[in-house]
Amino acid sequence: MGSLKLGIIFLISFFFHSTKSKLSYTETTETEICVTEDKHMNKKLENTVEHHVNTGFGLVSVIVCGDREKPALITYPDLALNHMSCFQGLFFCPEAASLLLHNFCIYHISPPGHELGAAPICPNDSVPSAEGLADQILEVLNYFGLGVVMCMGVTAGAYILTLFAMKYRERVLGLILVSPVCKAPSWSEWFYNKVASNLLYFYGMCGVVKEFLLQRYFSKEVRGNMEVPESDIVQACRRLLDERQSINIMRFLHAIDRRPDITSGLKKLKCRTLVFIGDQSPFYSEAVHMAANLDRRYCALVEVQACGSMVTEEQPHAMLIPMEYFLMGYGLYRPSCLTESPRSPLCHSCISPELLSPESMGLKLKPIKTRVSA
């Protein structure tokens, strides 16, 4: 039974059959690992610089974190968020941070006017379309002299990055998409967006808009109720939403609300794609639809139980094992000194096979038909 469960976990790595590197064991104590890991992560997080890139749609804030000699991983957040409110949970998860910062230089791209301390955008400035925002990413890559990049986006950000990958396939190495959308807005989404847009225009970031956004991001469990208080991540997100400029959010909302259906172009994507979706996300059916329309040879879908749309904040630990196997396909690993530690989920010898079952990790792995080329 243990081997069967391990086989399910390895389903994610179906497109990594060419990887031949083996893990090496290094004896070290958990305390030593924790100290070493924290030192490496803190050093890399300290090497963070904000750039303002002038594009055809105005200035764009890009937070660069890590060694620029390494391969590039660009991130794009969901509506009304930036890297602090959308990806902080993932990058503050020590194991995930060691995996990503060890292998990549991170470029956190904020939608126009969504960065910390952003001023209101002039109402007379033209509102970019979703396609315009995708073109803006190309300008950012050219500014930094980046060639092929790995992409990670959440919901609206996932749509923008997918559109970018479809338009500029030669510039995208792979996609990590969290609660993505690919269809035009449904009538219900259009209605809610229209109400939110009017509230933002007349009342700013009022309580109703905050609740609308928090329901978009998080599951019921962490949002709390009359008997259970909100979780810390929801309270922190609520505070960060207070800092957003209403007009800037409206502009991004208008761009996403006018997005076209890109389903027909998904089959043309040949880059490997890893899709995460929380089973309580309002975009659950969209993400499943998108995964079903991607080329199954290059795509894997991971469902995270008891989680909303923003898996990066609500359950970042659930992303670790799928991302590790995903990046193995590119020859990328966590630091060798941590590879076979008791804290590493890749250490099968130190963890009971039962703990690697999808149920124990809070994951539901969708069955995937694979075809390995000769």
Side-chain angles (χ1 to χ4, degrees):
M1 181 62 69
S3 61
L4 177 60
K5 292 179 178 178
L6 283 176
I8 296 174
I9 295 299
F10 275 93
L11 191 63
I12 288 183
S13 61
F14 68 91
F15 35 10
F16 312 141
H17 58 91
S18 61
T19 302
K20 298 181 179 178
S21 300
K22 295 183 179 180
L23 302 177
S24 59
Y25 180 78
T26 303
E27 283 194 35
T28 182
T29 66
E30 185 172 352
T31 303
E32 289 171 338
I33 292 166
C34 189
V35 171
T36 304
E37 192 171 357
D38 288 343
K39 285 182 178 179
H40 282 294
M41 184 176 68
N42 290 336
K43 184 177 180 181
K44 289 168 184 174
L45 287 174
E46 287 173 1
N47 187 20
T48 301
V49 180
E50 181 176 16
H51 299 260
H52 289 92
V53 182
N54 196 11
T55 71
F57 288 102
L59 290 176
V60 175
S61 170
V62 183
I63 303 293
V64 181
C65 181
D67 182 358
R68 290 181 59 178
E69 296 299 316
K70 293 182 178 180
L73 168 66
I74 66 172
T75 71
Y76 209 100
D78 192 15
L79 175 69
L81 302 176
N82 54 38
H83 76 286
M84 285 293 292
S85 47
C86 194
F87 297 103
Q88 181 173 263
L90 179 64
F91 283 91
F92 273 54
C93 178
E95 291 85 356
S98 67
L99 172 68
L100 297 175
L101 291 171
H102 175 69
N103 290 295
F104 296 103
C105 178
I106 316 299
Y107 295 78
H108 294 294
I109 302 176
S110 293
H114 280 53
E115 68 272 15
L116 293 173
I121 298 175
C122 179
N124 296 326
D125 291 352
S126 60
V127 178
S129 63
E131 187 170 352
L133 293 174
D135 291 337
Q136 197 173 56
I137 293 174
L138 180 65
E139 295 186 66
V140 170
L141 299 193
N142 292 339
Y143 174 86
F144 288 104
L146 301 176
V148 182
V149 298
M150 185 72 70
C151 299
M152 178 188 294
V154 178
T155 312
Y159 178 90
I160 299 298
L161 291 176
T162 303
L163 188 58
F164 172 75
M166 292 171 62
K167 291 191 67 177
Y168 307 102
R169 278 176 274 177
E170 72 282 358
R171 304 298 291 269
V172 177
L173 186 64
L175 291 169
I176 301 174
L177 307 177
V178 182
S179 305
V181 295
C182 64
K183 295 190 290 186
S186 63
W187 282 107
S188 58
E189 184 188 349
W190 176 86
F191 174 76
Y192 280 113
N193 289 346
K194 189 63 64 178
V195 171
S197 181
N198 287 332
L199 289 172
L200 284 167
Y201 181 81
F202 289 107
Y203 301 104
M205 183 56 74
C206 60
V208 176
V209 175
K210 286 183 189 175
E211 291 305 319
F212 161 75
L213 292 171
L214 293 175
Q215 289 178 27
R216 176 188 176 98
Y217 306 147
F218 299 110
S219 66
K220 294 178 182 178
E221 284 79 4
V222 297
R223 293 203 310 271
N225 50 46
M226 296 295 292
E227 300 176 354
V228 181
E230 287 182 342
S231 69
D232 292 340
I233 58 171
V234 176
Q235 293 179 21
C237 186
R238 188 184 291 275
R239 289 192 296 270
L240 288 169
L241 288 175
D242 283 329
E243 302 173 7
R244 301 282 79 80
Q245 297 289 344
S246 301
I247 188 171
N248 300 354
I249 298 174
M250 283 175 54
R251 289 166 61 87
F252 191 25
L253 181 58
H254 288 166
I256 295 303
D257 205 33
R258 300 196 308 269
R259 69 181 186 267
D261 190 327
I262 57 175
T263 302
S264 60
L266 294 177
K267 291 289 186 185
K268 299 177 183 177
L269 281 177
K270 299 304 178 185
C271 63
R272 293 168 177 166
T273 304
L274 180 60
V275 179
F276 292 93
I277 181 63
D279 66 355
Q280 295 186 24
S281 168
F283 304 103
Y284 174 85
S285 60
E286 280 258 5
V288 173
H289 167 81
M290 181 172 180
N293 282 275
L294 286 163
D295 192 324
R296 291 177 180 269
R297 294 173 296 171
Y298 308 112
C299 173
L301 172 65
V302 181
E303 293 183 18
V304 184
Q305 295 177 346
C307 187
S309 298
M310 200 151 50
V311 184
T312 52
E313 290 294 315
E314 192 169 342
Q315 293 197 37
H317 57 278
M319 299 178 65
L320 180 59
I321 291 177
M323 283 198 306
E324 285 195 281
Y325 285 117
F326 180 76
L327 294 179
M328 277 185 188
Y330 301 94
L332 302 175
Y333 299 86
R334 292 179 62 199
S336 58
C337 62
L338 301 174
T339 298
E340 283 284 310
S341 76
R343 290 167 57 87
S344 172
L346 290 183
C347 181
H348 301 147
S349 61
C350 299
I351 299 179
S352 170
E354 286 72 20
L355 296 180
L356 290 176
S357 68
E359 293 79 10
S360 297
M361 294 188 299
L363 304 180
K364 286 196 298 183
L365 305 187
K366 300 295 286 185
I368 301 170
K369 295 181 181 178
T370 66
R371 184 176 67 190
V372 178
S373 58

